[in-house]
Amino acid sequence: QQPVQSPQAVILREGEDAVINCSSSKALYSVHWYRQKHGEAPVFLMILLKGGEQKGHEKISASFNEKKQQSSLYLTASQLSYSGTYFCGSGSSGSARQLTFGSGTQLTVLP
Amino acid sequence: NAGVTQTPKFRILKIGQSMTLQCTQDMNHNYMYWYRQDPGMGLKLIYYSVGAGITDKGEVPNGYNVSRSTTEDFPLRLELAAPSQTSVYFCASKELNTGELFFGEGSRLTVL
């Protein structure tokens, strides 16, 4: 069962912040975040493995609440280059063999 | 560094035809995946493999078959193509140490 993402779409002005949420009805072992630009392949952002873990990549960070089976991606001071579709992927076992993705959140950053 | 290479990039099929999408990686990754992405939608897992000789079904395996005879190659075969299989297909391999998926550029398939 694939994770559920919200919102489906976000429009921001450059410099504004955004939060993208990802939740699952199944127990999560790991949460993966990817960004896809139009016409391109998805690109890895980060993976979170432990409950309550937070990670960051420049001005993009994420949290993972294992008990609530939720993850959130935080984009601060958005840049034009942040535009794209963000996907969360969930792994439900220790090996995370089967990685399923949510339907995506389309983020548009305007000048 | 080639990474994950998919061929062909584009293909048009007629209903009922069969074809194989090729995927090869040069990173010695054991885990490999095939996803399909319909327009404006997310990635759906078709099949995956955790090593040579081992494959398993994902979310949407019907109408597809895979094989994994070597670590490098993971071809996806479409039998009796249907319009519902019109999609962009992505192959990916996984770096186990980091969990990162490396995607190929995609193969855009149209079934008419």
Side-chain angles (χ1 to χ4, degrees), chain A residues 34-36 40-44 87, chain B residues 37 43 90 101 103-104:
Chain A
Y34 285 78
R35 177 171 62 206
Q36 184 179 33
E40 299 180 4
V43 174
F44 177 76
F87 294 99
Chain B
Q37 185 175 37
L43 299 156
F90 287 102
L101 288 184
F103 285 87

Side-chain angles (χ1 to χ4, degrees), chain A residues 48-109:
Chain A
L48 300 101
L49 295 175
K50 297 179 181 178
E53 182 184 14
Q54 289 200 359
K55 277 197 171 184
H57 175 69
E58 296 182 344
K59 294 181 180 177
I60 300 176
S61 62
S63 63
F64 177 27
N65 188 320
E66 187 179 354
K67 289 183 180 178
K68 291 186 176 181
Q69 296 162 195
Q70 293 176 345
S71 177
S72 294
L73 186 71
Y74 306 95
L75 299 97
T76 57
S78 298
Q79 305 170 12
L80 295 177
S81 62
Y82 286 3
S83 291
T85 302
Y86 290 77
F87 294 99
C88 71
S90 64
S92 57
S93 68
S95 64
R97 293 181 170 194
Q98 188 166 166
L99 185 59
T100 55
F101 287 91
S103 56
T105 295
Q106 187 171 352
L107 182 78
T108 304
V109 182

Side-chain angles (χ1 to χ4, degrees), chain B residues 49-68:
Chain B
S49 169
V50 298
I54 306 169
T55 62
D56 209 346
K57 297 177 181 179
E59 302 168 273
V60 290
N62 291 343
Y64 306 95
N65 276 303
V66 293
S67 59
R68 186 90 182 275

Side-chain angles (χ1 to χ4, degrees), chain A residues 21-41:
Chain A
N21 299 304
C22 176
S23 64
S24 175
S25 59
K26 292 172 60 176
L28 293 176
Y29 178 81
S30 61
V31 177
H32 309 235
W33 286 98
Y34 285 78
R35 177 171 62 206
Q36 184 179 33
K37 304 264 185 185
H38 184 69
E40 299 180 4

Side-chain angles (χ1 to χ4, degrees), chain B residues 18-22 34 46-48 55-57 60-68 74-80 85 89:
Chain B
S18 300
M19 74 159 298
T20 299
L21 299 177
Q22 302 291 344
W34 273 107
I46 306 172
Y47 271 94
Y48 65 100
T55 62
D56 209 346
K57 297 177 181 179
V60 290
N62 291 343
Y64 306 95
N65 276 303
V66 293
S67 59
R68 186 90 182 275
F74 190 39
L76 176 72
R77 181 151 181 89
L78 284 73
E79 305 281 2
L80 300 174
Q85 293 179 304
Y89 291 83

